[in-house]
Amino acid sequence: MNVTLSHVSRRFGGFQALDDVSFTVRSGELVALLGPSGGGKSTILRIIAGLESADAGSVRLGNEVVDSLHPRERRVGFVFQHYALFRHMTVARNVAFGLESQRLGKRETAARVAELLKTVGLQGMENRLPSQLSGGQRQRVALARALAPSPRVLLLDEPFAALDTKVRSELRRWVRQLHDDTGVTSLFVTHDQDEAFALADRVIVVNHGRVEQIGTPLEIMDQPATEFVARFVGEANVLVGTGTSDGVQIGPLVVPRDARVASDQLHVVVRSYDLKFWRDDTGGTATVQRVQLLGDRVKVEADLDGVGPLFAQFPRRSSLLHGIELGCRIAVEITTARSYARQG
Amino acid sequence: MAPLPTTGATSTGAVRGVPPTATARGGASETVASRTRTAPMAFRWSPGRIALTGAVLVYLVVVLLLPLLALVTETIRVGLSTVVEALRAPDAQFAIRQSLVLMLIAVAVNAVVGVATAIVLTRQRFPGRGAIEACIDLSLSVSPVMIGLAFLLIVGRDGWAWPVLEAWGIRVAFAFPGLVVATLFVTLPYTIREVMHILVEVGDDEEQVAATLGASWWRTFWRVTLPNVRRGLTLGLTLTAARALGEFGALLVLGGAISGKTETATTYIFGATEERHEAGAYGMALLLGVVSMLMLVVIEHFKKRRSGT
Amino acid sequence: MTARATAGPARGAVALRVAVCAYVGLLVALPLISIVIEGTSRGLAEFWSVVSASTARDAILLSLWTSAAVAVVNIVAGAGTAWVLHRYPIPGKAALSWMVDLPFAIPTLVTGVMLVLLFGPTRSVGRWFTAHGIEVLFAPPAIVLALAFISVPFVVRSVEPVLAELDRTEEEAAATLGASSMRTFWRVIIPALVPAIASGALQGFARSLAEFGAIVIVSGNIPHRTLTGAVYIFSEVEGGRPHAAAAASLVLLGAAILASALAWITMRRTVTAHGA
């Protein structure tokens, strides 16, 4: 079941929450909506589910335009950020809720509930109340409940945001597994890049209500389409550069020019792992300001002559780190850089 | 240094996502201009909802407004000039003055007692605190006639405090002091509750800060605590005033409704009704009704401020 | 204010405490104890015979059933009123809210007068009822109407804050799971409201038991028919029979306290059920 948004826009009072959003999630895909908080991702999800409506544009599920359909008619499963479990019902009745309109009969319903609870690893918890469950358990009940009526699409709104790190990574792995087993088209919202890249087949980067880029995690990482994506994803240096006939000048360094970029006033984005530093007492182009041990990585911050701060990360045992200490001169090599027209 | 190699410098053109591939929509006429905007979750006036709203409105109007309307029309029927004349009679005037005085005493006493009690109950811990709170809550469940009975048992002619009071020349039952006592009983909880509510909400952080800054108890109370509870206090005192004006049963039993001596506006109405004195009864009832409704407007205003909605 | 280094203010705090306890004790505890003492002064057997004497018994029972009947009416009317006031976009909500609180402000005696004027046999409304052979004034319906008036606010005010705090995402979840509005209402919303409704109804019940001013005017106070417990107590006091009055008071007061305690307990359950 495809999910297609066409030119969807939404205003809340004076605030443009979504601006001409269009994309297609293909059947069976697990897609992440990634972006900073307040960027409109949750609004997109709610519009797909029918909990909000768009001011312009349309939503299609498969070939069916669903804009005028009530959420209950869309057969879209929704997992809320704070679970929204029915607090007065047991786990079993929560999960069975979506089955009630299907008139399955008591035994069949119970069987399906048991099956779902087994899938989410909560068998035996049928008679517990939500207040008696941990956060991770509640989230799994929410998932089971959403999946019970066999929805055509599954939507998850920051499903792991309210959980601690350890529980989060477990659940992540487990949601991916669940998706692979059920094959339901799924769309989830997150502001956590690691999560998006670890789980999703494709990622849609959303900022200020606009789609910045759509692509596989690799494409997003290695070929960021806009400066925002380049900055947002991974740890990046943003340097001011000037276009010349030879290339792009960044202080004492030069990187090749991209013909597609028209302007000469540029921002050059360099990922922290696309740099090489090594000690150079006879010249060098930068001075080391700080060396930080971050667990299994080392972060070196330097001041690039005439430009400003620059930082790079190396594995702890990297030979490049040999001799690098506070105040020493280093040579800098940029292995990969992306240039974007400087705005304002 | 030689120019450094780079790989894959990408363009800046913002790639605004993949355009929908299935633009060939076949049958469904998809022109944006022709579609009506529907918001499926928006509120709609279904027949059921209209019926419910209608039922609720009818209920409220019939139970609450019709009686009021009846009072107004009947008073007009009796004749406004007749009513005014009846209310100007000395016994009615006395009753009105008596009710006002009792109301003012209740407000004054509860302003002090209410705040003091609220402070003691929220900021102090001591054995018996629960008992005091229980007494205050209990006072709301006691019927007015029971209040009258209870005090009569103490200060009435056969009461155990009678000899002592007589010896000091104090007459409580069937005298003004009795009215005061009954009024204070029924108005006890209102100010206390409102001030307690605010004291709990505000917390004692500011008072603790004042203490660390060396402020005396009195200064802390006057400059920190009191301004904070002003809202609750005003609401509580307005509720107190309304309750004081409205008291009937306890005043009747303990006061005896002796015309010109222990009669209040409410007991006047009772007497007037028994004597079939229509102008007086309806006039006084309308007067009290209007005054209490105006007070309610004030109360509603403060209540809205209190709950923030 | 108890965290004081100097002895002076601490003494002040204690003095305040003593003053407050004395005030409340003398004003409330002492009178209530007097009733208990008077009511039980002649022993249990006498107590029982007094309250089960036919007039007293019928009066108490009348209070109990009319208050209960009104509580049931209030459950439906009060919940419906709170729902409409809170969820529907109707104009004039402030005025409606004011109306709902009217019974708290209007003196009960004035209520009685208003009802007499509305249902008196010579008035238009009253005439319709008499023509159809229905007695309102000086008959049990008058009591029910008076109690209905004074207890309107209880359920409404009890339900309103709970409605305001309802988690809308639960309703949204129900919608995504295919539930109709009715099913969402009965399965998701009502269970959250039941404690508040019950608590409000119980508080209204306790208040109705105590009612005197409105009833004494409209009911005619006919023993065994329209003489309520409170009015019975009044007549015993006026008749110089404090023991009977006190005994009946204890029964009514006991029922009111029980209802209030239940109301309090029920409200606590909403708090603890909020585990999510």
Side-chain angles (χ1 to χ4, degrees):
Chain A
M1 178 67 46
N2 291 356
V3 178
T4 308
L5 265 69
S6 310
H7 306 289
V8 167
S9 294
R10 179 80 164 101
R11 283 186 90 86
F12 288 114
F15 169 63
Q16 189 79 30
L18 294 179
D19 189 1
D20 195 27
V21 171
S22 305
F23 60 79
T24 300
V25 177
R26 298 189 275 267
S27 194
E29 266 195 311
L30 176 59
V31 171
L33 279 170
L34 173 67
S37 301
K41 320 182 291 295
S42 292
T43 312
I44 292 175
L45 228 58
R46 288 172 66 83
I47 288 178
I48 297 175
L51 299 172
E52 310 257 2
S53 54
D55 299 327
S58 75
V59 177
R60 288 207 321 279
L61 296 178
N63 287 325
E64 189 187 357
V65 175
V66 296
D67 297 300
S68 55
L69 287 186
H70 194 276
R72 73 175 80 98
E73 294 161 343
R74 296 197 186 192
R75 289 191 50 213
V76 169
F78 202 106
V79 177
F80 293 81
Q81 183 174 351
H82 297 288
Y83 330 125
L85 294 181
F86 304 130
R87 69 191 76 186
H88 296 93
M89 296 186 205
T90 60
V91 164
R93 305 206 68 174
N94 261 281
V95 174
F97 190 85
L99 299 170
E100 283 171 21
S101 48
Q102 289 178 20
R103 306 189 183 294
L104 287 176
K106 261 174 76 171
R107 200 158 347 133
E108 264 199 71
T109 312
R112 178 119 175 90
V113 168
E115 178 196 330
L116 280 160
L117 285 181
K118 187 143 169 277
T119 316
V120 301
L122 288 176
Q123 62 269 49
M125 305 272 212
E126 278 89 352
N127 293 318
R128 298 260 187 110
L129 286 175
S131 52
Q132 298 168 312
L133 300 174
S134 71
Q137 290 170 326
R138 288 184 203 167
Q139 195 54 294
R140 284 186 273 162
V141 174
L143 259 158
R145 181 178 70 172
L147 287 172
S150 306
R152 344 185 237 177
V153 176
L154 183 63
L155 304 173
L156 304 106
D157 190 355
E158 307 231 26
F160 311 126
L163 301 168
D164 5 293
T165 339
K166 193 149 168 295
V167 180
R168 213 184 297 180
S169 37
E170 264 178 52
L171 271 182
R172 257 191 239 168
R173 231 174 310 136
W174 179 85
V175 162
R176 178 77 226 189
Q177 183 64 47
L178 188 63
H179 171 263
D180 293 339
D181 289 342
T182 57
V184 166
T185 313
S186 305
L187 188 56
F188 75 96
V189 160
T190 180
H191 57 263
D192 183 333
Q193 313 172 17
D194 297 341
E195 194 166 284
F197 292 156
L199 281 186
D201 296 323
R202 283 192 305 147
V203 176
I204 303 174
V205 181
V206 175
N207 180 40
H208 286 328
R210 297 216 174 99
V211 173
E212 296 273 340
Q213 184 173 2
I214 304 181
T216 63
L218 202 59
E219 286 164 9
I220 304 280
M221 281 291 282
D222 289 346
Q223 296 160 48
T226 67
E227 185 179 334
F228 171 82
V229 178
R231 283 179 184 246
F232 182 74
V233 172
E235 290 199 49
N237 293 285
V238 180
L239 305 166
V240 172
T242 315
T244 64
S245 43
D246 300 324
V248 179
Q249 192 78 32
I250 313 169
L253 306 174
V254 180
V255 297
R257 198 159 167 162
D258 183 353
R260 288 172 290 173
V261 182
S263 170
D264 276 343
Q265 310 299 314
L266 300 169
H267 274 157
V268 182
V269 179
V270 183
R271 295 267 162 80
S272 61
Y273 48 79
D274 283 336
L275 280 171
K276 284 190 182 152
F277 289 172
W278 62 93
R279 185 166 179 147
D280 184 352
D281 294 317
T282 59
T285 47
T287 318
V288 172
Q289 302 291 310
R290 198 162 170 220
V291 178
Q292 243 185 318
L293 178 62
L294 301 172
D296 50 1
R297 300 186 323 279
V298 175
K299 185 172 176 181
V300 179
E301 293 174 36
D303 184 71
L304 183 62
D305 294 344
V307 178
L310 186 66
F311 71 92
Q313 293 190 33
F314 307 95
R316 255 188 85 191
R317 304 282 182 219
S318 168
S319 51
L320 292 171
L321 285 171
H322 184 66
I324 288 190
E325 59 190 2
L326 186 60
C328 77
R329 294 285 296 173
I330 49 171
V332 178
E333 178 184 325
I334 296 179
T335 53
T336 308
R338 281 162 258 287
S339 311
Y340 304 94
R342 206 186 313 161
Q343 322 265 345
Chain B
M1 285 291 191
L4 302 158
T6 62
T7 52
T10 44
S11 74
T12 87
V15 177
R16 290 285 154 85
V18 179
T21 48
T23 341
R25 288 188 194 87
S29 50
E30 252 302 337
T31 44
V32 177
S34 67
R35 187 220 343 270
T36 36
R37 260 303 123 191
T38 49
M41 284 285 271
F43 182 88
R44 256 181 216 41
W45 280 109
S46 66
R49 284 178 170 168
I50 297 177
L52 179 62
T53 311
V56 167
L57 287 177
V58 166
Y59 174 77
L60 289 179
V61 165
V62 167
V63 174
L64 297 173
L65 284 192
L66 269 188
L68 271 170
L69 195 62
L71 178 59
V72 172
T73 46
E74 284 304 315
T75 313
I76 294 178
R77 185 189 63 86
V78 168
L80 274 177
S81 50
T82 328
V83 164
V84 170
E85 212 184 291
L87 288 182
R88 276 197 168 159
D91 54 350
Q93 288 287 304
F94 178 87
I96 294 173
R97 267 202 312 274
Q98 193 91 299
S99 281
L100 278 177
V101 170
L102 285 172
M103 182 185 86
L104 289 171
I105 294 179
V107 168
V109 170
N110 276 296
V112 175
V113 170
V115 173
T117 313
I119 290 178
V120 166
L121 288 180
T122 50
R123 302 272 188 262
Q124 295 186 16
R125 266 171 186 47
F126 54 94
R129 188 175 78 155
I132 300 290
E133 285 196 38
C135 279
I136 296 170
D137 289 337
L138 251 166
S139 72
L140 282 168
S141 297
V142 183
S143 175
V145 290
M146 296 179 198
I147 300 169
L149 165 68
F151 281 115
L152 272 185
L153 290 172
I154 302 173
V155 300
R157 202 169 294 257
D158 300 317
W160 50 264
W162 175 265
V164 177
L165 292 170
E166 280 297 286
W168 286 3
I170 305 175
R171 181 65 64 86
V172 178
F174 306 111
F176 185 71
L179 302 180
V180 173
V181 169
T183 308
L184 289 179
F185 183 108
V186 301
T187 52
L188 181 69
Y190 298 94
T191 312
I192 295 177
R193 281 191 168 182
E194 292 302 322
V195 177
M196 272 180 75
H197 177 92
I198 284 218
L199 278 177
V200 165
E201 197 181 280
V202 167
D204 64 348
D205 300 339
E206 294 186 28
E207 288 151 25
Q208 290 191 25
V209 169
T212 62
L213 292 170
S216 73
W217 180 95
W218 179 250
R219 225 157 77 91
T220 311
F221 168 74
W222 197 250
R223 304 283 301 277
V224 176
T225 319
L226 203 53
N228 277 340
V229 303
R230 216 176 16 194
R231 281 179 289 139
L233 185 56
T234 325
L235 176 57
L237 289 178
T238 318
L239 290 168
T240 301
R243 182 67 183 90
L245 267 188
E247 180 46 40
F248 167 63
L251 297 178
L252 183 64
V253 172
L254 192 52
I258 305 161
S259 178
K261 217 170 153 244
T262 58
E263 200 168 41
T264 63
T266 48
T267 52
Y268 172 89
I269 298 175
F270 185 62
T273 317
E274 303 254 284
E275 295 161 17
R276 303 258 175 281
H277 184 163
E278 284 193 334
Y282 306 162
M284 191 68 86
L286 189 58
L287 178 65
L288 271 185
V290 168
V291 170
S292 55
M293 288 196 282
L294 288 174
M295 291 181 108
L296 184 59
V297 174
V298 176
I299 291 173
E300 289 291 303
H301 168 77
F302 280 117
K303 263 178 66 174
K304 263 189 12 191
R305 295 246 306 266
R306 181 244 252 178
S307 60
T309 37
Chain C
M1 274 184 223
T2 45
R4 291 263 156 226
T6 51
R11 265 188 276 126
V14 175
L16 195 66
R17 185 189 311 174
V18 169
V20 163
C21 290
Y23 183 84
V24 175
L26 284 177
L27 191 62
V28 179
L30 196 56
L32 289 179
I33 293 171
S34 309
I35 297 188
V36 174
I37 293 177
E38 176 65 32
T40 54
S41 60
R42 296 188 195 166
L44 217 49
E46 181 68 22
F47 176 89
W48 184 248
S49 82
V50 161
V51 299
S52 52
S54 66
T55 317
R57 181 199 62 212
D58 288 347
I60 293 171
L61 287 177
L62 180 66
S63 286
L64 286 172
W65 83 251
T66 48
S67 303
V70 167
V72 169
V73 169
N74 278 324
I75 285 175
V76 176
T81 307
W83 184 260
V84 170
L85 269 186
H86 201 266
R87 291 273 200 145
Y88 292 4
I90 44 179
K93 283 196 183 173
L96 288 171
S97 187
W98 175 89
M99 270 173 69
V100 167
D101 277 340
L102 263 180
F104 277 163
I106 293 199
T108 54
L109 198 62
V110 174
T111 305
V113 171
M114 295 193 305
L115 286 174
V116 166
L117 291 177
L118 188 57
F119 291 105
T122 53
R123 325 297 173 194
S124 52
V125 177
R127 237 181 291 152
W128 185 91
F129 279 104
T130 355
H132 287 70
I134 307 173
E135 281 186 82
V136 177
L137 279 192
F138 311 132
I143 300 176
V144 174
L145 282 166
L147 292 179
F149 183 100
I150 56 145
S151 60
V152 163
F154 287 93
V155 172
V156 179
R157 292 310 179 205
S158 185
V159 168
E160 264 190 354
V162 178
L163 266 182
E165 283 194 10
L166 268 189
D167 188 357
R168 296 295 213 131
T169 55
E170 280 189 42
E171 293 171 55
E172 290 180 345
T176 60
L177 290 166
S180 63
S181 310
M182 272 283 105
R183 204 150 75 83
T184 310
F185 180 74
W186 287 107
R187 303 288 309 283
V188 178
I189 296 175
I190 286 286
L193 297 182
V194 162
I197 296 177
S199 176
L202 284 165
Q203 289 176 55
F205 175 79
R207 172 69 181 83
S208 300
L209 281 181
E211 181 51 34
F212 173 70
I215 294 180
V216 79
I217 293 223
V218 305
S219 70
N221 311 315
I222 307 162
H224 308 290
R225 202 155 169 255
T226 59
L227 181 72
T228 60
V231 183
Y232 169 79
I233 293 169
F234 177 67
S235 65
E236 294 303 286
V237 171
E238 297 290 291
R241 289 180 292 277
H243 175 259
S249 296
L250 287 177
V251 175
L252 273 186
L253 193 55
I257 292 175
L258 186 61
S260 298
L262 274 175
W264 187 82
I265 294 174
T266 327
M267 260 335 257
R268 303 281 287 173
R269 287 189 59 211
T270 20
V271 179
T272 50
H274 277 204

